[in-house]
Amino acid sequence: INNEINGCNLDCTPAIRSYIYIILYKYYLQKGIQKDDLNNISEGRLFSRFKKLLEARFKEWHMPGQYAEGLNTSLKVLNNECTHYSAKHASDIIRERIILEAKRLLFNTDLMSKEIAYQLNFEDPAHFSKFFKQYTGLSVKEYREESQKRFR
């Protein structure tokens, strides 16, 4: 590994990463760790990448298939990862993030519902209002009034 680091003029990160994987794999074999346990380590990386991509794109991307494509994986694999690590499907996690942002904007700004809808990439403000009520049980107006009473 030291020769790779010192003698390489190009980006040697992939080669070094491969050496580290080989060393870890041999270590795990010696300790009796099973192949399924090794798979879980790499699976966690996909879920972590999904969460990072979600934070970067939730305003533009509302469909799980968009995230699967962005992660170069299938929707089935993405959903399996999500349910394994969070007990929720990718669509539920995406929806919760959109709702969280909508609540944040309703609480911290004076933006109108349609402005929030457009910020969150809903083409129709009525669709945003219906979406919000379906998953919170409150209309946008009711949520804003309740949150202001409770926290201000």
Side-chain angles (χ1 to χ4, degrees), residues 38-107:
L38 293 175
N39 289 339
N40 286 340
I41 293 168
S42 65
E43 288 172 0
R45 277 190 251 130
L46 178 61
F47 185 63
S48 177
R49 287 175 43 224
F50 166 65
K51 291 190 301 183
K52 286 178 185 173
L53 187 59
L54 176 63
E55 282 304 309
R57 299 293 178 127
F58 73 90
K59 289 181 182 179
E60 299 107 35
W61 295 355
H62 294 184
M63 303 303 292
Q66 294 170 302
Y67 291 91
E69 187 176 322
L71 294 166
N72 295 317
T73 192
S74 70
L75 182 54
K76 182 178 179 179
V77 169
L78 179 60
N79 270 323
N80 287 342
E81 287 290 299
C82 291
T83 55
H84 179 75
Y85 286 98
S86 70
K88 299 174 186 174
H89 287 96
S91 59
D92 298 327
I93 296 169
I94 295 164
R95 184 180 318 110
E96 287 173 0
R97 183 60 185 97
I98 294 167
I99 293 291
L100 178 65
E101 186 67 11
K103 286 179 174 181
R104 188 188 70 76
L105 291 169
L106 287 166
F107 183 76

Side-chain angles (χ1 to χ4, degrees), residues 1 13-29 38 41-42 45:
I1 295 174
T13 305
I16 294 168
R17 184 178 296 128
S18 295
Y19 283 134
I20 292 170
Y21 285 148
I22 291 168
I23 291 167
L24 287 173
Y25 182 72
K26 288 183 178 186
Y27 172 78
Y28 290 143
L29 287 177
L38 293 175
I41 293 168
S42 65
R45 277 190 251 130

